[in-house]
Amino acid sequence: MCEYFKNPDRLLSLLATVISIIALWQTQRQIKFSNKQQLFDRRLSDYLVLKDLAKNYREVGERCELNDNEGWLFHAGVVLYFLLSNSFFEPASDIRTQPDDIRLQKELFAKRVELRKISEEMSIIFKRDISSVACDFISAYERAVKNSHEFVWAWHSPDTKYPSGMGDELLREREEKRKELEIDLIHLREAFQVLEKENTEQKMKRYMKI
C-alpha cells in the first residue's frame, strides 16, 4: 500500500479522482438547492395571487351580485369593477368603463389566461387537499370576471350589434347572459366560503415552510 502512494502518478490520479467526486457532490447539492428555491418561489408567487384575490373578495364579495331589477347592466358593471379592484387585475381595471377598448380587452384576456395557468400550476406544486380548494376559487373568480365583462361588453352598444326589429332576440340573449352570470357569482361565493372554512391560505403558508 505504501509503495502505491510512493508513485507520484498514482497519487496525483487518486487526488484528481477525489477532487472530481467532491466537485460532483457540490454540483448535485447546488442543483438540488436551486430546484428547491425555484419551487419555493413558484409556490410563493401563486400564494400571493390567491391571497390578493381572496382579500379583495373578502372586502367586496357582498356587493358582487346582480339585483333582480332593470338595472342588470349597471350592476354587472359594478360587479366587474369590484372583481378587478386588486393588484393582479390592475392593468385591465379601466375596462369597466371602456369595455370595447381593444388594448384593455387584450390585457384582461392575458390576465385571465395567467390565472388559469396559476390554477393549473397550483394543482402540481401543492398537495391535493390544499390545491383543490384554491384552484376552485381561482377558477370561479376567473369565470366571473370573464362573464361579467362579456355581459357589459355585449350591451355596451346594442344598437350596433342588432339591426332594428331584433329586439326580442336582444332581450333573450340578455336574459341568458344574466342567468349565466348569476350562476357564476353564486359559484364564486360558494368557492370563497369553502376557501375560508378550510383555512386554505394558512395551510399554503405552512406547506411552504416544510
Side-chain angles (χ1 to χ4, degrees):
M1 189 70 176
C2 293
E3 293 296 326
Y4 180 87
F5 288 107
K6 288 181 180 180
N7 187 319
D9 292 335
R10 290 178 177 177
L11 184 60
L12 289 174
S13 177
L14 177 62
L15 184 60
T17 301
V18 172
I19 292 175
S20 297
I21 293 173
I22 294 175
L24 180 61
W25 174 78
Q26 288 180 330
T27 300
Q28 290 178 332
R29 185 180 180 186
Q30 289 173 349
I31 291 174
K32 186 177 181 180
F33 176 79
S34 177
N35 289 339
K36 282 186 175 181
Q37 184 63 45
Q38 290 177 11
L39 180 59
F40 175 82
D41 290 344
R42 293 313 308 156
R43 285 173 175 166
L44 178 60
S45 177
D46 291 351
Y47 163 75
L48 291 176
V49 171
L50 175 72
K51 182 180 179 181
D52 186 29
L53 299 182
K55 178 178 181 294
N56 182 63
Y57 191 82
R58 193 174 292 117
E59 295 173 352
V60 304
E62 293 183 357
R63 287 169 282 182
C64 288
E65 60 182 27
L66 299 181
N67 288 0
D68 192 16
N69 56 35
E70 291 304 316
W72 295 329
L73 179 58
F74 169 76
H75 290 292
V78 172
V79 168
L80 181 61
Y81 169 78
F82 284 134
L83 291 177
L84 301 183
S85 298
N86 52 73
S87 59
F88 182 80
F89 279 109
E90 193 277 332
S93 59
D94 288 339
I95 202 167
R96 182 228 168 181
T97 55
Q98 305 172 58
D100 53 356
D101 185 285
I102 300 299
R103 182 187 64 81
L104 291 175
Q105 287 182 16
K106 289 181 178 180
E107 288 278 8
L108 183 63
F109 180 74
K111 299 306 287 185
R112 285 177 41 228
V113 169
E114 183 180 352
L115 206 55
R116 290 199 295 267
K117 289 181 179 179
I118 288 173
S119 177
E120 184 175 353
E121 184 177 68
M122 276 186 175
S123 68
I124 298 173
I125 63 178
F126 283 97
K127 291 197 307 182
R128 182 179 178 83
D129 63 325
I130 298 175
S131 65
S132 60
V133 176
C135 291
D136 285 346
F137 172 71
I138 287 179
S139 297
Y141 202 107
E142 185 272 330
R143 185 168 178 80
V145 168
K146 171 184 178 293
N147 285 326
S148 58
H149 168 249
E150 288 182 353
F151 187 97
V152 174
W153 181 34
W155 315 127
H156 184 61
S157 301
D159 293 338
T160 63
K161 184 177 180 180
Y162 290 94
S164 58
M166 296 187 69
D168 290 343
E169 184 175 346
L170 172 62
L171 292 175
R172 281 196 300 271
E173 186 171 343
R174 177 174 180 173
E175 178 63 13
E176 290 174 0
K177 288 285 186 181
R178 182 185 70 83
K179 289 181 179 179
E180 185 176 3
L181 180 54
E182 281 186 324
I183 292 172
D184 290 333
L185 294 176
I186 290 172
H187 287 167
L188 176 58
R189 182 171 66 249
E190 291 174 345
F192 177 74
Q193 290 171 348
V194 175
L195 187 81
E196 295 283 84
K197 181 181 178 181
E198 296 294 327
N199 201 21
T200 302
E201 289 180 66
Q202 289 301 318
K203 287 181 179 179
M204 293 177 75
K205 286 178 66 175
R206 289 196 295 269
Y207 187 74
M208 287 189 292
K209 294 177 181 178
I210 295 176

